[in-house]
Amino acid sequence: MADFSKPSMAELLHLRGNQLDKGEPIALPLVQSSMYHLPGLAENFPFYGRATNPTWDALEHALAHLERADCVAFPSGMAAISASLFATLKAGHKLLIPSDGYYVTRVLSSRFLSNLGVEVVERPSNAFEDGGFEGFDVVFVETPSNPGLDVVDLSSIAKQVRAAGGVSICDNTTLTPLGQRPLDLGIDIVVSSDTKSMGGHSDALMGHVASRNGDLLQAMEDWRKISGSIPGPQEAWLLHRGLESLDVRFERMCNSAELIAPRLAEHKAVQSIRFPGLQVDPSHNLAKSQQLRFGFLICFTLESEEKAERFINDCPYLRPATSFGGIHSSAERRARWGDDVDPAFVRLSIGCEPAEELWEALKTSLDQL
Ligand SMILES: *Cc1c(COP(=O)(O)O)cnc(C)c1O
């Protein structure tokens, strides 16, 4: 696998503790306040809840440790993606996005950005470098893409976009900073839906942006304050708590996926399968060279829509639900949302159940089709 050092997870768990004064709580306090006590000059003090909040600060401290870059927290992945695009684009600019990534990014671009004079171009992830990047002001990638799990070459794209004078943005939702480090590969901005495995408990929507470019980061923070796209303190607190167990959860989920994917590939009910960890997968070599882990998403196609529904709904250890990355394994047919996939295409998100128990349940459900 790619040889990037992970940030210290021991340090993550003690980031806050090592700064405490005697008598302060070990767990992060949840600060719900729109106003701050502020007599006299306001400079350099927290002044209003739309601009600052101590619970956000603690969360962003932990995120910055994970990304080794300054971060700004947002109330959802789409809020983070919107910030990255609205802070970098202006009328007359040209934006390149994947035609097969998370569909709401495409809707945002076609429905709103193009109305403001941005020219939006789409390309499939599996031919993303074809045609080069000359003339593009912003290039947005997602890898492995959701739901097709195609992988693009981040350092090659980052280099070409920079040479052409553009800004590169990578949606790193499917792998998290523990599975892939786009900033270390030269990407300018990372965006993430922390609603998924970063939070990990399916109880909060959140997102963040990360960048080592101070001007870009400041522009996105300004966007948050001015547009009002701010996280609730409770959600920020929940994500901070989730991050403390990310390492353990992510490792379990990725290990289980690596155990289960080859078994699924051999099951007679499975017609085709995508998982970057399988040696035969078209993404395998690239994934191995730039990722730290293969992830916990496995996508496969069964014989029919009806069988796919039955597989998902009859398995006691699968939540039939959209979204992914929670401790509970979940699955869904992506065609029900209009993704350009086979009606029997299933996106399986491996959770934290013990792998052999989960496999037994998956196998039983497949055997009964
Ligand atoms: C879910 C998801 C998003 C959107 O995140 P929300 O938190 O739902 O706004 C963006 N990109 C990818 C790859 C996703 O899976």
Side-chain angles (χ1 to χ4, degrees):
M1 300 301 291
D3 185 23
F4 293 110
S5 66
K6 244 172 47 169
S8 160
M9 290 301 112
E11 208 177 317
L12 180 77
L13 290 178
H14 294 277
L15 270 186
R16 178 181 151 70
N18 282 326
Q19 295 183 340
L20 291 179
D21 291 328
K22 190 169 178 180
E24 286 195 88
I26 301 289
L28 177 65
L30 166 52
V31 179
Q32 296 265 190
S33 189
S34 60
M35 300 205 276
Y36 296 90
H37 178 65
L38 207 61
L41 292 178
E43 238 166 285
N44 297 325
F45 283 92
F47 65 99
Y48 184 49
R50 180 156 37 71
T52 54
N53 174 285
T55 310
W56 301 351
D57 294 344
L59 168 64
E60 286 168 356
H61 188 199
L63 288 169
H65 179 78
L66 283 167
E67 298 278 14
R68 288 205 191 94
D70 284 335
C71 294
V72 182
F74 283 91
S76 67
M78 281 317 302
I81 290 170
S82 299
S84 73
L85 295 174
F86 279 92
T88 52
L89 286 165
K90 60 184 183 192
H93 271 181
K94 222 167 134 181
L95 165 68
L96 180 62
I97 57 173
S99 57
D100 49 355
Y102 185 64
Y103 73 106
V104 187
T105 305
R106 292 196 298 281
V107 178
L108 173 74
S109 304
S110 62
R111 180 81 195 279
F112 293 102
L113 295 173
S114 54
N115 285 349
L116 299 175
V118 172
E119 185 187 342
V120 181
V121 178
E122 294 185 10
R123 269 185 207 164
S125 293
N126 63 15
F128 204 76
E129 294 186 45
D130 293 2
F133 303 99
E134 211 55 56
F136 287 100
D137 300 283
V138 176
V139 173
F140 187 102
V141 297
E142 183 183 309
T143 181
S145 60
N146 169 23
L149 302 183
D150 277 313
V151 169
V152 299
D153 186 334
L154 287 174
S155 64
S156 165
I157 292 170
K159 211 176 292 162
Q160 294 177 62
V161 172
R162 183 157 301 172
V167 172
S168 56
I169 305 175
C170 176
D171 184 333
N172 200 33
T173 299
T174 50
L175 282 177
T176 85
L178 300 187
Q180 177 167 265
R181 308 196 55 80
L183 299 176
D184 292 346
L185 293 162
I187 292 287
D188 294 311
I189 299 174
V190 157
V191 297
S192 167
S193 169
D194 300 337
T195 307
K196 316 291 168 52
S197 55
M198 294 281 275
H201 294 72
S202 315
D203 53 9
L205 282 102
M206 279 294 286
H208 78 270
V209 301
S211 181
R212 292 173 186 157
N213 177 319
D215 293 339
L216 291 175
L217 199 85
Q218 187 61 52
M220 294 186 284
E221 189 173 355
D222 289 348
W223 166 262
R224 176 175 73 179
K225 182 170 69 187
I226 294 164
S227 71
S229 180
I230 56 165
Q234 168 92 24
E235 280 71 20
W237 187 91
L238 282 167
L239 176 56
H240 180 272
R241 175 157 136 162
L243 292 183
E244 296 192 315
S245 61
L246 172 64
D247 185 36
V248 181
R249 288 184 286 104
F250 188 69
E251 188 165 317
R252 165 74 75 102
M253 288 155 67
C254 293
N255 288 347
S256 296
E258 282 177 32
L259 182 94
I260 287 169
R263 296 182 186 180
L264 283 172
E266 280 180 13
H267 196 284
K268 63 182 189 327
V270 173
Q271 301 207 321
S272 63
I273 182 165
R274 289 299 304 267
F275 177 67
L278 292 173
Q279 276 185 16
V280 295
D281 192 275
S283 296
H284 182 69
N285 288 336
L286 194 47
K288 221 164 113 176
S289 71
Q290 72 178 9
Q291 297 174 195
L292 285 78
R293 298 302 312 250
F294 293 117
F296 53 83
L297 290 176
I298 304 172
C299 292
F300 55 94
T301 305
L302 298 176
E303 198 184 308
S304 65
E305 174 178 337
E306 182 270 332
K307 285 193 178 181
E309 283 293 332
R310 206 142 44 84
F311 161 69
I312 295 168
N313 298 327
D314 290 356
C315 180
Y317 295 156
L318 274 188
R319 298 299 97 224
T322 196
S323 196
F324 57 83
I327 46 173
H328 326 89
S329 291
S330 65
E332 73 167 337
R333 277 190 324 105
R334 284 304 301 178
R336 68 178 181 165
W337 300 110
D339 281 356
D340 184 20
V341 292
D342 191 284
F345 174 98
V346 174
R347 183 184 66 198
L348 169 64
S349 172
I350 299 291
C352 290
E353 302 84 0
E356 292 297 347
E357 279 187 76
L358 177 59
W359 168 246
E360 272 313 306
L362 295 173
K363 181 177 180 304
T364 303
S365 193
L366 285 173
D367 287 346
Q368 285 168 355
L369 292 179

